[in-house]
Amino acid sequence: AGTTLSNYPRTQLLATLSGPWIVNFDPKWGGPAKIKFDELVDWTNRPEDGIKYYSGAAVYHKTFDLPALEPGNRCVLDLGDVHEVASVRLNGHDLGVVWTRPARVDVTDAVKKKNNKLEVTVVNLWPNRLKGDEALPKGKRFTETNIHKFTAASPLLPSGLIGPVTVLTKQLPRSEE
């Protein structure tokens, strides 16, 4: 009798990218050009109206080191909870876009042991900006629309890189010999 093998690779936690992140928002859409998040958080939970009601792209920056990777294993970046779409760059390498769960990209060919430079660009949805604009006088609004589905009373939608962001090792399944 043979051993049953999984079709999915087993993963193991290598690192959690906790601590501060530098985030760049577009000031033309009300966000701060540069701000430090002490930890990852839903934009709607931030005290700044320019972040709470922000809609558009924001770029997260983080530098990190990793313990050694076992030979033959792959290295995967897991963004955790992300709303809505994210593109990932590591050490200058474009690693693609994630828009479904799990929000993971293979970083094996881009990752180094020391001084990894991670950039995650996150784009959220438009309703939070519409809600924020409803509460502003017409001359101060960032948007103009004939869509009235989203008002100041509408709930905010989760936004941004919420995480946790982790680095996993992945051992590829081996066929029976």
Side-chain angles (χ1 to χ4, degrees), residues 34 40 73 80 137 150:
K34 182 177 181 181
L40 294 174
N73 282 2
F150 304 102

Side-chain angles (χ1 to χ4, degrees), residues 60-177:
Y60 290 75
H61 301 270
K62 180 85 166 166
T63 301
F64 65 94
D65 298 334
L66 282 180
L69 189 62
E70 287 186 33
N73 282 2
R74 304 296 294 174
C75 194
V76 176
L77 180 74
D78 187 324
L79 298 177
D81 194 9
V82 60
H83 294 277
E84 288 301 317
V85 176
S87 65
V88 179
R89 292 183 66 80
L90 182 61
N91 299 323
H93 298 272
D94 182 350
L95 299 176
V97 174
V98 293
W99 55 277
T100 60
R101 290 181 186 178
R104 292 180 176 173
V105 293
D106 189 304
V107 297
T108 307
D109 297 332
V111 75
K112 307 181 295 187
K113 192 170 180 174
K114 298 272 184 202
N115 204 32
N116 287 285
K117 298 198 181 319
L118 176 62
E119 281 185 21
V120 181
T121 301
V122 177
V123 179
N124 71 334
L125 298 174
W126 197 29
N128 292 355
R129 180 71 270 155
L130 295 177
K131 175 184 168 84
D133 281 358
E134 279 291 317
L136 295 174
K138 286 195 188 260
K140 300 274 186 182
R141 294 180 181 177
F142 292 88
T143 60
E144 189 174 319
T145 182
N146 61 0
I147 299 172
H148 299 289
K149 179 180 177 182
F150 304 102
T151 67
S154 300
L156 291 172
L157 301 177
S159 294
L161 179 59
I162 301 170
V165 176
T166 56
V167 180
L168 309 170
T169 59
K170 178 167 77 170
Q171 184 177 36
L172 300 178
R174 296 189 176 113
S175 61
E176 283 188 276
E177 297 182 9

